[in-house]
Amino acid sequence: VSGAVPAQDLAGRRVVVSAGGTREPLDPVRFLGNRSSGKQGIAIAEAARARGAAVTLVAANLEVAEPAGCDIRRVSTAMELREAVADAAAGADVVVMAAAVADYRPASVSEAKLKKEPGDGGLTLELVRNPDILAELGHAPHDGTLLVGFAAETEPDGARLLELGRAKRAAKGADLLVVNRVGWNEGFAGDDNAVVVIDRHGEVVASAEGSKLSVAHAMLDVIVAQLADAPD
Ligand code: CTP
Ligand code: CA
């Protein structure tokens, strides 16, 4: 893909990508967040666009520039991302959940900035679960929409990493799951990534390592093949 126009093998397809990391407010000046930069999701959106797709990017607090040529829906919290993804997913050919969605949000959001009390010794936060957006899509009828999830895992053992990915794919009802090892210095802010892609049968159908753009194209190769296999 160096400079050349890639094959237009996603022409006429509508692709939805969520990217970035959600932020869950505690008060007007603080939030709970995560270290997702949005780079891998943006690379998928860019690569799909370059291959001819109409792309909707649901963007949660991106730390890098937005890609050109995509319909961008900016969100911040998991609840906002859920609504934007559900809206965009209707009638889409592909939904890729690359966003790091907060599993929990503060049970209440203070209208005023939280203040320390003299001698309080600490603060305990009460968190409640956010809905699992990918599982909601995966457990609802989604004929004609290929659902792609990610699994961010810190498991160092390759075989166990795959097992975690297989279990996560099944639990969420995703058609494909991209397993991605993350750590203090892996996966997030960097320009490179290493992933394996698991299908519905738990088979590894691709593994890719390199720039986030090249990894995106390898994922889209699998997606294009699956779209060709499925009836329209
Ligand atoms: N995801 C989602 N909604 C959530 C949490 C996660 O849609 N509330 C999606 C992510 O976008 C990703 C996939 O589910 O595509 C897996 O996310 P991950 O954090 O790896 O898995 P979890 O199911 O949240 O499990 P855990 O964090 O406990 O490992
Ligand atoms: Ca999670």
Side-chain angles (χ1 to χ4, degrees):
V1 291
S2 50
V5 177
Q8 296 297 291
D9 51 8
L10 285 169
R13 300 291 193 177
R14 219 161 68 65
V15 175
V16 177
V17 181
S18 71
T22 64
R23 292 180 178 176
E24 308 299 323
L26 273 164
D27 70 11
V29 298
R30 303 185 180 94
F31 58 82
L32 302 178
N34 62 70
R35 283 158 47 83
S36 176
S37 63
K39 283 183 182 175
Q40 185 62 73
I42 288 171
I44 296 162
E46 275 178 333
R49 180 80 204 94
R51 292 165 76 144
V55 178
T56 300
L57 177 67
V58 179
N61 310 295
L62 301 181
E63 285 176 5
V64 291
E66 290 172 348
C70 300
D71 169 21
I72 299 187
R73 316 266 173 93
R74 292 181 199 91
V75 298
S76 189
T77 66
M79 296 304 269
E80 290 165 7
L81 189 132
R82 176 203 207 190
E83 196 178 324
V85 168
D87 181 61
D93 296 290
V94 182
V95 175
V96 182
M97 281 295 297
V101 182
D103 294 322
Y104 305 94
R105 66 180 183 278
S108 65
V109 181
S110 174
E111 287 295 324
K113 186 186 162 198
L114 296 168
K115 303 294 271 182
K116 315 188 280 304
E117 301 295 339
D120 61 13
L123 173 70
T124 302
L125 293 176
E126 189 187 344
L127 305 178
V128 295
R129 281 282 281 274
N130 275 325
D132 188 321
I133 299 161
L134 178 59
E136 284 181 349
L137 293 171
H139 295 143
H142 58 275
D143 270 13
T145 305
L146 191 77
L147 269 184
V148 185
F150 271 72
E153 305 289 354
T154 51
E155 171 61 55
D157 179 74
R160 285 220 294 274
L161 186 67
L162 267 185
E163 277 318 308
L164 288 171
R166 290 190 176 107
K168 214 169 252 194
R169 189 216 62 77
K172 293 179 182 253
D175 299 301
L176 293 171
L177 194 92
V178 180
V179 185
N180 188 185
R181 198 152 72 88
V182 295
W184 293 108
N185 294 304
E186 286 175 278
F188 284 131
D191 290 315
D192 288 359
N193 205 1
V195 304
V196 298
V197 184
I198 297 172
D199 73 3
R200 276 180 219 90
H201 313 290
E203 303 286 342
V204 174
V205 284
S207 63
E209 183 164 2
S211 72
K212 286 184 174 173
L213 191 60
S214 72
V215 167
H217 277 291
M219 287 178 46
L220 289 174
D221 290 343
V222 175
I223 288 169
V224 165
Q226 299 251 328
L227 288 173
D229 285 349
D232 278 331

